[in-house]
Each structure stands twice: as C-alpha cells, then as structure tokens.
C-alpha cells in the first residue's frame, strides 16, 4: 500500500506478534505436515470449490471441509475463518503457543479462531509459502470489506499474481517493493535479491509482511513505513523496483488500500516517474497501473510522457473500460452496491462528475516496465494487447529488452550479416478464400510468452521458415531473390525493417 498522507488506522483485530520466531516455525511445520499447501488445498477442495474461493464464494469450500481431518480443520480455521473446537486444533498445531503469540484467540467456551487469514501459496520453484492478510481478505480480494475498514491488508489477488509473474527474476543485489501490502512481492524478491526493502504507508501492512515472510520460511526484508518514496534514504539505488500501487482513479481516497489520494492518475504517474532515478544501470522497475483516456489526447502519448529520462520502457494496455464500467467495478469492490441505494447513487454520481470534469472518457489497465539504459536514445514501446498471454512472463520481459539492445547495436548492414533462428513454438497460418491458389496473407503466431501474431509477406514467411542459424540473413535473402526472380539488391534494401520487427517481437532470435 502506498499513498500520499498518513491517517489513523481503524480498530482491527490484533495481528500475531512477529517476535516469536520459534512459534512461527512450529506453526509452519504443522501447516506443511497437514498438507495445508496450495497442492493440498486443491486436492481437498476440488477444482470447482477452489475456483469459487477466488470469486469470494466459500460455501463449496465449507461443504468440502465438513470432515475432521487435520487439513480440513486448518482450512476452516485459517482460510474460512470458522471457529474450531480447542481440542481439535490442539491435535494439529501448538495451540497454546499460538494463543499466547496471537495467531489464535479463544471464542465461546471451548473454541478458538484465527486472528488473520493464512492462504497457502505455491512458489515458482514449488516452495510452500503462506500469505498472511487481515480477516476476510485472503479469499477473493476485498469482497467489500473496504467499506468497513480502510486500513485492512488484502491477501493475494489477480493483480498481485500478475505482477509477480511479470517480474524479471534474475539474481540482483537490491530490490524495492513499493507499497508491499501483505508482502507477496517482497516474498518473491527475497528469493533472488541480496537485500530487499519493502515500504508501506500502513504500519499494519509492514507487520503483516513480516508475518508472511516468517511463516513462509523466507529471509527478512528491510521494512520501512512511509508514503511513496519518502522512506528511502538519499542516494539509495536498486536493481529491481516493483509496485502494485493503489491505482484506482476515484473521487477522493476513502479506501487506503486501493485509492491513491491524488487527482486522476497522478499517483501512478508519480510512481513511474520517480522510479527512474532510483534504478541502477540495467535495473528494472515494473508496475501495474491505471491511466486516463482523456478527450482530445492520445493515450499512448500520455503514457510516453510518464517515462523518466534515461529509461527504456515497454507499456502494455491490457484492458479499457468506459467510465461507467469503471465506476461500477470499484463501487462493487467496496461493497457500496449492497448499501443504501440513495448513497450508492450519490457515490456513482460523484465518480461520473469527477471524470466529466477531467474530460475522461475511459480508463486503461496495464503494465509498465522500465529499464535504466545507457543508450543515448532510449526505446519506448506502447502497445495494446488484450489477448491471453503465458504466465509467468518475467523471462519474456527480460528478453524483450535484450532484443532492443541487440537491434540498437546492429545497423541494417550488420543485420544482414547476422544469423538468426526461428523462436520455439512458432506456427505459420495461411489466410485466404477456400480454393484460392495463393493466400491473401500469411500469419506467424507464437504459442509462448506474449502469444503474438503478426502478418508477413511472402518474403518474410520464407525468410523466417529457413532461419536455423546456419546462413546469414543476407545470404538467405539472396537465395529468396533468385527463387522469386527479384533483384537481390532491392530485396536487401527493403527487408531489414521486416527482420527488425520479427526480432523485436520475438519471432526471430539472434543465433
């Protein structure tokens, strides 16, 4: 969670104390021993009930945990927030130590309940991790809880996992998780960064992050309280910066976990622009953000203006919603649709008034990746790609910028001397009328990464089809010219632009 001002936190249940690592370690062992893991959860609940949890629907999971197995007990206790008899819990976890340290509390005459949500989460290498969050926030995101307690710390949501999958995972000396929330990005980062700094405006979020790291058996992070870049020390630099900021464009800042508190998309712009000077050479900064589509303004130009000096950028718009869809999405997220109809209408009006005053017609959702570059002319790519992609995408993101470096270092003459190979899992599709002698056009399609598709002409299709690294690009073009009866010099002159596009988009790889 990041923001622009501090405020008093609401009264929430006390989170477990993080000063008892022995209890946390015992609890972790008990959870894993009972198969309270991502795989164990799926096996117990079954795919339909497991998927229902992501929609904030718990009834199927409650039905699946009617038994008395250790795993069923833990799911009801920590994930579904149901009171469980003390004696039954004592058979599974060190109950007295958990009561003393605050993981559990006594309720009724002989039952105990969890003070926080604990959700099993599978790491990229098969690790058994656990994401801690406030009660009611591990299943399906906020589920409207924000309308009651703005200081809550949310669990794993679609945005969290998307950013985690996008992030470039190479060994680095330093990483920054800006607005850490429940700590999922920090948890990933401590696996490949020597030093991880995690910041948040909400001190409760920092406490929850410490619990997430400890319960997952992960190294600790340097946790700092404050807004945006305020907690950072003068001169600090990072090799990786990640942030899933409160990107919702709303009239006001009722809900700290999602509303930035600045006008329009200014908070997202500030986060992106401020990251540039904090990156070491070659370092990456990666964000999930929203941006306004303003009347009379090209949205791509708006985002290009956000890119800090000295950085390459790859910006992908994944979805666009008109202002009514956008307002309804976030009013429902806060649970406002379940309250007083007149109040809901007033809130809806306020959103539309704000958009109208700013001449906003729609809101874009997407990813922004920056990379600090020494190039005199940084590259900024802004595109719309609403189609399915393959997660995780971190390697695809890294390879995109490596290809930019390659293309910058090779002029057309050097490109024709270079050797290329077709990337794995590329297929060719010919599109045309049935029975036609020749296709209207040829499409190359990826089955990995961004899963792009691009039209190519006959020369491009033939060139890509024979790229196996054995011949230079120029020699391949000479052979194509001979087969097609074309002037080889003319073909060499006009084809490098198409080769560059195929390399940039990942259809061809330098051999």
């Amino acid at each position: 969670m990041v923001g622009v001002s501090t405020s008093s936190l609401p009264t929430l249940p006390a989170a477990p104390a993080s000063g008892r690592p022995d209890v946390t370690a015992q609890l972790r062992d008990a959870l894993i021993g009972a198969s309270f893991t991502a795989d164990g959860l799926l096996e117990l609940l079954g795919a339909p009930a497991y998927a229902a949890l992501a929609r904030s629907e718990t009834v199927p999971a409650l039905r699946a945990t009617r038994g008395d197995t250790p795993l069923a007990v833990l799911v009801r206790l920590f994930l579904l927030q149901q009171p469980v008899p003390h004696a039954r819990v004592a058979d599974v976890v060190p109950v007295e130590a958990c009561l003393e340290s605050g993981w559990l509390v006594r309720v009724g005459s002989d039952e105990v309940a969890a003070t926080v949500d604990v959700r099993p989460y599978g790491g990229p290498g098969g690790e058994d991790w656990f994401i801690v969050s406030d009660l009611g926030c591990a299943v399906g995101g906020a589920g409207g809880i924000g309308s009651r307690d703005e200081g809550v710390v949310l669990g794993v949501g679609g945005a969290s996992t998307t950013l985690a999958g996008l992030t470039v995972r190479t060994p680095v000396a330093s990483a920054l998780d800006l607005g850490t929330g429940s700590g999922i990005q920090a948890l990933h980062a401590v696996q490949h960064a020597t030093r991880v700094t995690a910041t948040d405006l909400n001190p409760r979020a920092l406490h929850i992050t410490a619990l997430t790291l400890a319960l997952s058996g992960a190294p600790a992070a340097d946790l700092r309280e404050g807004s945006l870049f305020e907690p950072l020390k003068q001169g600090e630099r990072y090799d990786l910066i990640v942030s899933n900021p409160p990107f919702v464009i709303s009239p006001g800042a009722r809900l700290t976990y999602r509303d930035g508190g600045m006008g329009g998309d200014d908070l997202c712009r500030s986060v992106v622009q401020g990251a540039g000077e904090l990156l070491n050479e070659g370092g990456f900064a990666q964000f999930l953000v929203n941006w306004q589509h303003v009347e009379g303004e090209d949205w791509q130009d708006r985002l290009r203006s956000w890119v800090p000096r000295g950085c390459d950028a790859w910006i992908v718009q994944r979805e666009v919603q008109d202002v009514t869809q956008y307002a309804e999405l976030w009013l429902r997220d806060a649970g406002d649709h379940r309250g007083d109809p007149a109040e809901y209408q007033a809130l809806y009006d306020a959103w539309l008034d704000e958009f109208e005053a700013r001449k906003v017609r729609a809101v874009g959702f997407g990813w922004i990746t920056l990379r600090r570059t020494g190039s005199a002319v940084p590259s900024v790519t802004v595109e719309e790609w609403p189609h399915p992609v393959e997660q995780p995408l971190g390697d695809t993101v890294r390879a995109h910028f490596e290809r930019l470096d390659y293309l910058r270092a090779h002029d057309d003459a050097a490109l024709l001397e270079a050797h290329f190979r077709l990337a794995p899992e590329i297929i060719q599709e010919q599109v045309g009328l049935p029975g036609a002698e020749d296709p209207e056009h040829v499409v190359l399609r990826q089955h990995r990464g961004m899963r792009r598709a691009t039209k190519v002409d006959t020369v491009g299709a033939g060139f890509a089809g024979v790229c196996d690294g054995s011949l230079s690009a120029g020699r391949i073009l000479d052979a194509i010219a001979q087969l097609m009866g074309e002037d080889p010099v003319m073909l060499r002159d006009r084809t490098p632009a198409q080769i560059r596009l195929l390399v940039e988009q990942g259809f061809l790889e330098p051999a």
Side-chain angles (χ1 to χ4, degrees):
M1 184 187 299
V2 294
V4 294
S5 64
T6 58
S7 61
S8 60
L9 292 173
T11 301
L12 296 170
S18 55
R20 292 291 307 274
D22 56 329
V23 177
T24 303
Q26 292 173 44
L27 177 58
R28 171 177 169 78
D29 289 343
L31 298 180
I32 294 175
S35 296
F36 186 66
T37 63
D39 290 341
L41 194 62
L42 178 59
E43 183 176 353
L44 172 68
L45 301 182
Y50 190 84
L53 290 177
R55 304 191 300 269
S56 301
E57 297 292 346
T58 59
V59 172
L62 288 168
R63 291 172 61 88
T65 55
R66 287 172 173 170
D68 202 30
T69 67
L71 179 55
V73 168
L74 292 175
V75 172
R76 293 178 73 86
L77 182 66
F78 283 114
L79 193 60
L80 303 177
Q81 289 88 60
Q82 300 296 305
V84 178
H86 179 285
R88 189 66 195 94
V89 176
D91 291 336
V92 185
V93 302
V95 65
E96 296 305 325
C98 287
L99 286 166
E100 181 184 348
S101 59
W103 286 99
L104 303 174
V105 293
R106 295 183 183 274
V107 293
S109 59
D110 64 346
E111 292 183 318
V112 297
T115 58
V116 288
D117 277 342
V118 177
R119 178 166 180 168
Y121 179 78
E127 303 92 344
D128 290 320
W129 291 343
F130 302 96
I131 308 300
V132 180
S133 61
D134 273 314
L135 293 174
C137 296
V139 173
I145 195 169
S147 63
R148 301 190 298 275
D149 295 313
E150 73 167 38
V152 296
V153 180
L154 300 189
V156 181
S160 301
T161 54
T162 295
L163 180 58
L166 283 172
T167 302
V168 176
R169 301 294 176 194
T170 55
V172 294
S174 57
L176 170 64
D177 177 11
L178 190 70
T180 189
S182 61
I184 180 174
Q185 309 305 331
L187 177 58
H188 278 276
V190 295
Q191 312 302 316
H192 64 101
T194 303
R195 173 176 60 88
V196 174
T197 302
T199 70
D200 206 288
L201 176 69
N202 182 359
R204 185 177 179 84
L206 298 176
H207 185 68
I208 293 289
T209 292
L211 295 175
T212 289
L213 295 173
L215 192 59
S216 298
D222 178 8
L223 305 178
R224 303 184 193 175
E225 180 184 345
S227 175
L228 297 177
F229 302 105
E230 289 175 359
L232 305 183
K233 301 172 184 176
Q234 185 70 28
E236 281 188 312
R237 295 292 182 271
Y238 297 90
D239 302 307
L240 174 66
I241 299 173
V242 292
S243 184
N244 177 21
F247 50 64
V248 178
I249 299 170
S250 62
R254 287 191 306 145
L255 307 178
T256 309
Y257 69 83
R258 67 164 211 197
D259 301 324
M262 294 185 181
D265 53 16
D266 284 353
L267 184 133
C268 291
R269 175 185 54 78
S270 298
V271 169
V272 174
Q273 290 182 335
E277 63 184 29
L278 298 176
L279 285 174
N280 288 321
E281 191 73 21
F284 286 92
Q286 299 184 260
F287 314 94
L288 291 188
V289 291
N290 286 187
W291 48 78
Q292 298 173 148
H293 285 233
V294 179
E295 182 179 345
E297 178 182 74
D298 186 294
W299 68 270
Q300 295 188 345
D301 289 342
R302 182 181 191 85
L303 291 175
R304 287 189 182 96
S305 73
W306 289 13
V307 178
R309 184 176 302 175
C311 289
D312 291 329
W314 185 18
I315 302 171
V316 182
Q317 179 167 272
R318 295 287 289 157
E319 183 182 358
V320 180
Q321 289 187 344
D322 66 47
V323 292
T324 60
Q325 291 174 305
Y326 190 81
E328 291 162 15
L329 170 66
W330 296 110
L331 288 169
R332 288 179 178 275
D333 170 81
D336 293 312
H337 63 300
R338 296 195 294 264
D340 178 65
E343 184 178 352
Y344 174 77
Q345 181 176 340
L347 289 168
Y348 201 149
D349 272 334
W351 283 67
L352 297 186
D353 286 344
E354 179 80 6
F355 285 134
E356 184 175 346
R358 295 180 177 275
K359 298 184 178 181
V360 177
R361 296 294 175 258
V363 177
F365 299 68
W367 322 322
I368 295 180
T369 299
L370 308 176
R371 185 192 58 168
R372 192 78 188 175
T373 178
S375 174
V377 184
S379 169
V380 177
T381 301
V382 185
E383 62 177 317
E384 186 166 14
W385 190 253
H387 311 293
V389 299
E390 179 190 41
Q391 280 280 29
L393 268 178
D395 286 344
T396 299
V397 173
R398 175 185 50 77
H400 169 86
F401 288 93
E402 290 176 349
R403 292 194 298 269
L404 288 183
D405 287 341
Y406 177 87
L407 292 172
R408 270 197 290 245
H410 289 73
D411 60 16
D412 286 356
L415 209 63
L416 292 174
E417 291 298 319
H419 295 236
F420 300 96
R421 64 170 58 93
L422 192 66
E425 298 191 43
I426 302 293
I427 64 170
Q428 176 178 302
E429 301 173 356
Q430 296 186 348
V431 181
L433 294 174
E437 183 175 348
D438 297 313
E440 293 181 13
H441 58 263
V442 177
V443 174
L444 298 181
R445 188 179 301 278
Q446 300 168 344
H447 278 205
R448 302 296 304 273
M450 291 292 287
R451 294 176 175 162
R452 296 185 184 277
T454 189
K455 291 182 182 180
V456 292
D457 59 19
T458 304
V459 172
F463 181 88
V466 298
C467 279
D468 61 2
S470 61
L471 296 175
S472 69
R475 289 190 62 185
I476 293 174
L477 291 178
D478 291 343
I480 292 175
Q482 185 175 6
L483 287 171
M484 298 180 64
E486 290 201 30
D487 183 339
V489 175
M490 296 286 290
L491 196 61
R492 280 173 172 254
D493 284 345
R494 77 167 193 259
T495 308
Q498 190 169 189
I499 296 174
R500 286 186 180 277
L501 180 63
L502 292 175
V503 173
E504 180 182 344
Q505 294 190 343
F507 290 93
L508 295 178
E509 299 174 345

